[in-house]
Amino acid sequence: MRLSQFHLRTTKETPADAELVSHQLMLRAGMIRKLAAGLYTWSPLGLRVLRKVETVVREEMDRAGAIEMIMPTIQPRELWEETGRWEKFGGQLLKITDRKEQHFCYSPTAEEAVTDFARQELSSYKQLPVNFYQIQTKFRDEIRPRFGVMRAREFVMKDAYSFHITDEDLVREYRNMHAAYTRIFTRLGLDFRAVQADSGAIGGDASQEFHVLADSGEDAIAFSTGSDYAANVETAQAAAPGPRAAASETMTKVATPTQKTCEDVAALLGIPLQRTVKSVAVMTDGGFVLALVRGDHAVNEIKLGKVAGMADYRLATEAEILAHLGSEPGFLGPIGAKQAIRVVADRDVAAMADFVVGANEAGFHLAGVNWGRDLPEPETVADIRNVVVGDRAADGGEIRIVRGIEVGHVFQLGRKYSEAMKFTVLDETGKAATPAMGCYGIGVSRIVAAAIEQNHDANGIIWPAPMAPWAVAVCVINPKNDAAVNNAAEALLEELQVAGIEAVLDDRGLRPGAMFADIELIGIPHRVVVSERGLAAGTFEYRARRATEAENIGRDELLARLRG
């Protein structure tokens, strides 16, 4: 490959609307070009990287026993109505109408389509288990597409769907896919973690996310120093608190005239923030609920929503708070409500003694409050808070938090879709059985951006070797147009190619500074310079992308390094 015959257009300027490093560098390197909001054209350079990722994904999916297929990107409304997701999926579902006034959507995921395929193709337990996958374009109508391909509306995704006659077999395939994903991200040279996760809009019984670790990641990941435990903060749990201490204080009403936050109340009373309780008022279909967390903690919306009866809760209005508690926000608490209310207490709050809560009276709080004496034991106790750095983990380790970019997700769907779409097969006894399903997704185009977020410097991208567009750039410095220099560069290129090393010849005739800047920007792992001076000395100038200095080495040593 010669760069003089390849389309490569780089820029020095950083686009003003590009916030993330990956977005900036992909635009500067000419990997992508914006067509419209959240829609990008992949250039020949970008496509080379994308295809490298696809190849690793395809090889490992095949190795794991999955079977590749491809489904349409346009799906009929009727399928989505069978599962109830035509309305439930929300605004991200792009709905379109054809000339016959029939309704379709642009596929954001393919559970409905693959289940429809399966119910037409599979009729017996003898055909199970089976795992179908595709690498296909998807579309989600993001309300605010941003960060380039990291959160684009159109993206490339590998989605796989497995079908099983038993739950035990679903668990086996779930583990098989988990192992395949581990191999994929390891082969791609990424620093990643598999974390417990919430199933979200896809639904299902169990799920794990795979995150590329990067400071710019949108997701916070909690992990333990005592084991390989890791979870998205949406689901992460700290160890359960110990037994409650005995009451040692008398409940006292204290004036807090302007102190409406736990932090201000603690400062006024001269007590640790951990001794205060935060009251969050919400409304559910069943009525008014007061959710309690420790003053230094925050309510986890996902966890609270999973408490029985809390699935569709919302924050209460000031009028609703006044009607139930008789107080304005800032002084709320579980004691002295005007109407009967439900209390949901976090585990840590249920284990507290001598704590401080709002008095349900403007300008006052109650100190020295104790369960069972000053108020009834909480009706519901659950883990409803976010973990924080320093929490004790269940394994005895300490909770730490890092940022991550989600690039893969595996789900045990159970029978959610097969039941909704009335898909059955005959089991060993000849009776109709509803197969269990698994779903396994990888954001192929997102991996490209995530890799850049994790691997870059001030000069540009630093590709992990398996993702690089080329392994080696042979750069020609030949201001005198010496045929010997050109011949030596071409001979080296051919030798590398024969050795199975993917190389590109930069024969564009640029000055060294501009040439080297381009090669560094696009992230090629190895740079070899062929020049008149080097030929005279019998050496090549070699520099690895992460090295700080170039060095002059002979042909045999060069080839040994590049093969290694």
Side-chain angles (χ1 to χ4, degrees):
M1 175 71 71
R2 295 170 176 267
L3 283 184
S4 62
Q5 299 171 1
F6 186 81
H7 177 75
L8 177 65
R9 181 172 178 268
T10 63
T11 60
K12 294 181 180 180
E13 296 76 22
T14 299
D17 63 341
E19 301 174 53
L20 287 188
V21 168
S22 59
H23 191 192
Q24 296 169 0
L25 292 178
M26 290 181 79
L27 288 171
R28 285 188 55 211
M31 292 179 63
I32 57 172
R33 290 292 181 251
K34 183 177 178 180
L35 182 64
L39 302 176
Y40 290 89
T41 297
W42 287 75
S43 74
L45 178 70
L47 187 61
R48 287 186 68 89
V49 178
L50 191 66
R51 292 289 186 252
K52 295 288 185 73
V53 177
E54 287 183 11
T55 296
V56 172
V57 170
R58 182 172 284 111
E59 289 176 354
E60 291 300 336
M61 289 300 293
D62 292 346
R63 175 183 170 187
I67 306 168
E68 187 169 11
M69 64 182 299
I70 198 160
M71 291 173 277
T73 58
I74 304 298
Q75 300 179 2
R77 171 180 179 171
E78 290 75 16
L79 289 184
W80 284 71
E81 286 184 329
E82 286 189 58
T83 61
R85 292 207 298 175
W86 184 257
E87 298 299 335
K88 287 183 179 178
F89 203 89
Q92 287 190 332
L93 188 65
L94 180 64
K95 301 174 181 179
I96 55 180
T97 306
D98 69 6
R99 66 179 66 193
K100 296 180 181 180
E101 297 300 315
Q102 294 179 319
H103 299 278
F104 296 84
C105 66
Y106 197 135
S107 169
T109 182
E111 285 80 12
E112 285 81 1
V114 77
T115 305
D116 181 64
F117 174 81
R119 69 184 175 183
Q120 296 180 59
E121 299 290 320
L122 308 175
S123 59
S124 169
Y125 75 95
K126 294 179 181 179
Q127 296 169 281
L128 304 182
V130 65
N131 188 338
F132 299 114
Y133 82 93
Q134 64 173 349
I135 298 176
Q136 175 65 295
T137 301
K138 299 289 190 296
F139 189 96
R140 295 183 183 179
D141 199 8
E142 294 277 357
I143 190 170
R144 186 182 165 223
R146 60 196 189 278
F147 308 148
V149 300
M150 189 74 77
R151 191 170 287 282
R153 293 194 292 169
E154 185 179 80
F155 53 94
V156 178
M157 180 179 177
K158 186 285 300 177
D159 47 328
Y161 308 90
S162 62
F163 298 87
H164 310 268
I165 198 69
T166 66
D167 292 335
E168 291 76 16
D169 195 59
L170 168 59
V171 172
R172 176 202 58 77
E173 184 63 10
Y174 180 84
R175 292 171 178 166
N176 180 37
M177 286 293 99
H178 187 284
Y181 276 35
T182 299
R183 293 194 301 269
I184 287 168
F185 298 122
T186 300
R187 280 187 59 185
L188 289 173
L190 300 171
D191 184 12
F192 69 96
R193 274 187 180 269
V195 304
Q196 296 178 15
D198 180 68
S199 296
I202 303 298
D205 302 323
S207 69
Q208 283 185 292
E209 295 172 349
F210 286 77
H211 286 257
V212 169
L213 304 185
D215 291 339
S216 58
E218 288 186 285
D219 295 301
I221 299 167
F223 69 95
S224 171
T225 59
S227 69
D228 61 357
Y229 171 78
N232 193 299
V233 290
E234 293 175 345
T235 62
Q237 291 189 345
R244 183 192 299 165
S248 61
E249 297 180 4
T250 302
M251 186 173 73
T252 306
K253 187 176 180 180
V254 295
T256 53
T258 61
Q259 288 74 23
K260 295 185 177 183
T261 68
C262 289
E263 290 81 1
D264 290 343
V265 171
L268 177 69
L269 300 181
I271 61 174
L273 183 58
Q274 292 87 338
R275 286 188 57 191
T276 66
V277 171
K278 187 183 303 180
S279 300
V280 180
V282 301
M283 291 296 296
T284 70
D285 292 341
F288 188 90
V289 178
L290 204 61
L292 307 180
V293 293
R294 214 168 67 185
D296 59 328
H297 292 159
V299 170
N300 181 304
E301 296 179 3
I302 299 295
K303 291 180 181 179
L304 182 59
K306 289 186 174 181
V307 173
M310 300 293 295
D312 297 312
Y313 80 88
R314 61 169 174 80
L315 292 177
T317 65
E318 289 197 20
E320 290 167 335
I321 292 172
L322 185 62
H324 288 84
L325 299 179
S327 176
E328 64 180 85
F331 305 97
L332 308 184
I335 299 176
K338 291 177 64 178
Q339 300 182 29
I341 63 170
R342 179 187 179 189
V343 173
V344 176
D346 181 69
R347 295 182 304 177
D348 288 274
V349 172
M352 292 174 69
D354 301 327
F355 53 90
V356 176
V357 295
N360 287 322
E361 180 181 347
F364 291 94
H365 279 72
L366 298 174
V369 176
N370 285 273
W371 296 107
R373 185 193 71 184
D374 306 313
L375 75 168
E377 295 290 341
E379 177 182 342
T380 304
V381 177
D383 174 20
I384 61 169
R385 72 171 177 93
N386 286 329
V387 296
V388 295
V389 174
D391 275 338
R392 183 172 57 85
D395 57 27
E398 185 177 299
I399 293 290
R400 304 283 175 82
I401 296 178
V402 294
R403 306 299 300 183
I405 300 167
E406 183 188 347
V407 291
H409 209 155
V410 292
F411 301 88
Q412 292 182 41
L413 293 176
R415 292 169 174 80
K416 173 180 178 178
Y417 294 93
S418 50
E419 284 181 349
M421 299 184 71
K422 299 179 174 58
F423 167 40
T424 63
V425 298
L426 296 180
D427 65 15
E428 292 182 351
T429 67
K431 295 181 179 179
T434 302
M437 292 175 58
C439 171
Y440 320 97
I442 286 180
V444 176
S445 50
R446 183 175 247 226
I447 285 174
V448 176
I452 296 172
E453 290 296 327
Q454 192 178 82
N455 300 276
H456 66 272
D457 62 13
N459 297 323
I461 302 165
I462 307 176
W463 288 117
M467 296 177 62
W470 298 279
V472 182
V474 178
C475 299
V476 183
I477 298 179
N478 193 11
K480 299 177 182 177
N481 200 23
D482 186 338
V485 175
N486 289 335
N487 292 339
E490 291 175 1
L492 178 60
L493 177 67
E494 183 176 355
E495 190 170 3
L496 293 174
Q497 292 171 338
V498 169
I501 299 170
E502 199 172 24
V504 65
L505 179 64
D506 193 344
D507 59 344
R508 294 174 295 166
L510 300 181
R511 292 186 176 183
M515 186 190 316
F516 298 163
D518 272 358
I519 298 305
E520 288 192 322
L521 174 61
I522 66 177
I524 298 179
H526 306 279
R527 186 187 77 199
V528 180
V529 176
V530 181
S531 66
E532 183 180 16
R533 179 183 301 176
L535 284 183
T539 61
F540 297 95
E541 182 184 289
Y542 167 76
R543 182 174 175 180
R545 178 62 180 83
R546 292 185 182 273
T548 56
E549 299 290 339
E551 52 186 317
N552 295 311
I553 58 178
R555 178 181 235 88
D556 292 343
E557 184 179 354
L558 173 66
L559 293 175
R561 289 200 192 185
L562 296 179
R563 287 193 185 102

